[in-house]
Amino acid sequence: MGRYVVRRLLQMVPVFVGATLLIFLMVNVMGDPIAGLCGERQCDAATAAQLRSEFGLDQPLWQQYATYMGNVFTGDFGTAFNGQPVTELMAAAFPVTVRLTIVAILFELVVGISLGVLTGLSRGRPVDTGVLLLTLVVISVPTFVTGLVLQLLLGVEWGWIKPSVSPQAPFDELIVPGLVLASVSLAYVTRLTRTSIAENRRSDYVRTAVAKGLPRRRVVVRHLLRTSLIPVVTFIGTDIGALMGGAIVTERIFNIHGVGFQLYQGILRQNTQTVVGFVTVLVLVFLVANLLVDLLYAVLDPRIRYA
């Protein structure tokens, strides 16, 4: 197991460098970031040259990337065009989005897996058909529609929640936004769990456990559910980074100043340092989440061993 972890960590290095290089190149071809620093009027040549020199934009692109990566390994993600260090923006935004992601993941784990187990054990029955239709509707409806409808009904019409989340973004105010963020993934987790439970239910080891006279609860939880959760864990592990990076729509609807909000502002203002810095951290989140998923395989299924 130790060798496997070391090998995976070494494999993460070129993946991290390649992903950040692509992001850096893509962000730098979006447009001239200096053009938006002088407001609606175009910067004069002297001011533009001074700004380019100040932010290092007058250097070759490869040199900009090398300088950026060297600073990243020292914890310096650069300075936004408003003069604020990107690390300060991260310190304010990431805790909010992490709390929002935790709420969304809990919905996926508790509601999604529970509904998946229920429908997988009741395949072909009315409850199975009803849940399948419901998940299909959730998948078909765009996230911004779900968010706006829940905000209008629960926040404006009925007054059950605040239409906009406060700057502190406590967990109780993030329940509905977390549900909106997790809605599509929750539907996929439900369907994935249902399919896995229904397939493994006919496996030999499950039939053997039933033939031994083990209680139904123990057969489902200890034998059936553990192996059936492997594809679900894979999906949720990769979904963590997707939820954090894809929260732009949800955070805009509920006025949440998290990672999605900062990315939206950075793209809108062509703020290269902000966008690249935030996406670099999201790449690390993806890589670490995938490593943890691979390690969880051996815990869920004793048949899996790593050389």
Side-chain angles (χ1 to χ4, degrees), residues 169-192:
F171 275 105
D172 58 336
E173 294 184 12
L174 294 176
I175 293 178
V176 174
L179 177 60
V180 173
L181 180 62
S183 58
V184 176
S185 297
L186 189 153
Y188 280 120
V189 168
T190 300
R191 299 172 74 91
L192 191 59

Side-chain angles (χ1 to χ4, degrees), residues 100-116:
L100 179 63
T101 305
I102 290 175
V103 174
I105 292 295
L106 287 176
F107 273 115
E108 293 184 25
L109 291 174
V110 177
V111 180
I113 293 178
S114 299
L115 290 177

Side-chain angles (χ1 to χ4, degrees), residues 118-132:
L118 175 63
T119 53
L121 297 175
S122 308
R123 192 170 184 177
R125 298 179 182 177
V127 64
D128 179 34
T129 305
V131 172
L132 284 179

Side-chain angles (χ1 to χ4, degrees), residues 29-91:
V29 300
M30 288 193 311
D32 185 10
I34 299 300
L37 294 181
C38 297
E40 297 180 358
R41 299 180 63 182
Q42 187 176 3
C43 298
D44 59 86
T47 304
Q50 180 182 355
L51 291 173
R52 290 182 187 280
S53 176
E54 180 180 349
F55 292 104
L57 299 176
D58 56 341
Q59 301 174 355
L61 198 57
W62 67 267
Q63 190 173 349
Q64 294 182 38
Y65 176 73
T67 303
Y68 172 76
M69 290 301 296
N71 293 334
V72 164
F73 287 110
T74 62
D76 181 11
F77 288 86
T79 304
F81 290 157
N82 61 358
Q84 187 176 9
V86 177
T87 50
E88 291 185 4
L89 298 176
M90 291 180 179

Side-chain angles (χ1 to χ4, degrees), residues 200 203 205 227-228 230 297-298 300-306:
N200 291 328
S203 301
Y205 64 90
T227 53
S228 299
I230 291 179
Y297 286 166
L300 293 173
D301 193 344
R303 298 171 297 180
I304 297 178
R305 292 293 181 266
Y306 297 107

Side-chain angles (χ1 to χ4, degrees), residues 9-22:
L9 290 174
L10 292 176
Q11 291 173 353
M12 288 167 60
V13 175
V15 174
F16 174 73
V17 173
T20 52
L21 177 59
L22 288 175

